[in-house]
Amino acid sequence: SQTIHQWPATLVQPVGSPLSLECTVEGTSNPNLYWYRQAAGRGLQLLFYSIGIDQISSEVPQNLSASRPQDRQFILSSKKLLLSDSGFYLCAWNNLANSPLHFGNGTRLTVT
Amino acid sequence: ELKVEQNPLFLSMQEGKNYTIYCNYSTTSDRLYWYRQDPGKSLESLFVLLSNGAVKQEGRLMASLDTKARLSTLHITAAVHDLSATYFCAVHTSGSRLTFGEGTQLTVNP
């Protein structure tokens, strides 16, 4: 069966520090991969999605970037965090056009 | 730009009562999804609706889709406390992207 792993679960980082969040999927090949952010009490905002290695689309201009070094690995990064980057970051995958997204457990990021 | 609006955003109801959550979207789409999120947790897929008139049921929840009206409903029958959570609808846009509504925070009181 397919599983998605996301880490770390929680993170507290100072303003201006770098960020690296990692997500891996097991049990499937060539998945579509997504990074979403959820502000407290709000809906989900799509940040990046990828349909293959080195095929990444950015949805919202910001100081975040994403990379997909391997088929089932998706990384969210920042060189310098802002206070506004705080939130709940969710990685997700699917691999069929009509299938729902399957979400990881999320990373709660607090920028201080 | 696709807009997805849910209402109500907050819903407090008593156990045993029925209620409906509405999800309206602004442009044509052929796929709609419902998710559940418990406090502090990730999202869990509830329903996938792929065609006009689609109806799916699981326990006390029933979801339907009217693509002509650009409307989906999530109906709760005889609510129980375990249904307390935030419910999101999500609409498929181009490519592989989903646009989520703001969520409906449901509290079921004994």
Side-chain angles (χ1 to χ4, degrees):
Chain A
S1 64
Q2 301 94 349
T3 55
I4 178 169
H5 302 279
Q6 191 180 337
W7 68 93
T10 59
L11 193 58
V12 180
Q13 293 282 106
V15 168
S17 63
L19 173 74
S20 180
L21 303 181
E22 191 161 341
C23 172
T24 60
V25 179
E26 295 178 358
T28 187
S29 58
N30 196 30
N32 300 319
L33 296 171
Y34 308 79
W35 279 110
Y36 282 87
R37 177 170 62 200
Q38 184 179 33
R42 301 290 301 277
L44 278 73
Q45 178 187 40
L46 179 61
L47 302 176
F48 300 93
Y49 75 98
S50 171
I51 61 173
I53 291 178
D54 296 328
Q55 294 178 280
I56 298 171
S57 296
S58 173
E59 293 293 297
V60 182
Q62 60 216 328
N63 68 322
L64 299 172
S65 62
S67 62
R68 186 169 177 172
Q70 300 180 45
D71 179 46
R72 291 169 290 174
Q73 183 184 28
F74 206 24
I75 297 173
L76 182 69
S77 304
S78 173
K79 293 182 179 178
K80 288 186 177 183
L81 284 168
L82 307 172
L83 284 174
S84 57
D85 291 325
S86 294
F88 191 43
Y89 288 80
L90 289 155
C91 181
W93 74 274
N94 69 356
N95 60 3
L96 295 174
N98 294 333
S99 64
L101 296 181
H102 305 280
F103 286 88
N105 288 332
T107 296
R108 193 162 304 280
L109 171 66
T110 304
V111 182
T112 60
Chain B
E1 179 188 342
L2 173 64
K3 293 188 187 302
V4 181
E5 294 184 346
Q6 286 183 237
N7 74 84
L9 297 182
F10 299 93
L11 175 56
S12 180
M13 57 190 299
Q14 284 189 309
E15 281 191 329
K17 299 293 186 182
N18 304 333
Y19 208 85
T20 300
I21 298 170
Y22 297 89
C23 174
N24 290 91
Y25 51 99
S26 60
T27 62
T28 301
S29 177
D30 57 355
R31 294 172 234 166
L32 190 139
Y33 305 81
W34 283 96
Y35 290 86
R36 169 182 172 144
Q37 185 179 35
D38 290 304
K41 303 293 185 182
S42 187
L43 277 76
E44 171 192 354
S45 176
L46 293 175
F47 299 110
V48 179
L49 302 169
L50 299 177
S51 61
N52 186 42
V55 177
K56 296 280 183 73
Q57 182 163 5
E58 180 74 33
R60 301 174 187 274
L61 300 177
M62 183 173 70
S64 66
L65 177 62
D66 181 343
T67 57
K68 294 180 181 178
R70 299 177 186 167
L71 170 68
S72 179
T73 61
L74 181 65
H75 187 72
I76 304 155
T77 301
V80 293
H81 180 70
D82 286 351
L83 289 179
S84 297
T86 299
Y87 293 86
F88 292 92
C89 63
V91 179
H92 171 254
T93 56
S94 59
S96 301
R97 287 169 285 181
L98 295 184
T99 299
F100 282 77
E102 287 293 304
T104 296
Q105 187 176 319
L106 170 65
T107 303
V108 181
N109 303 303

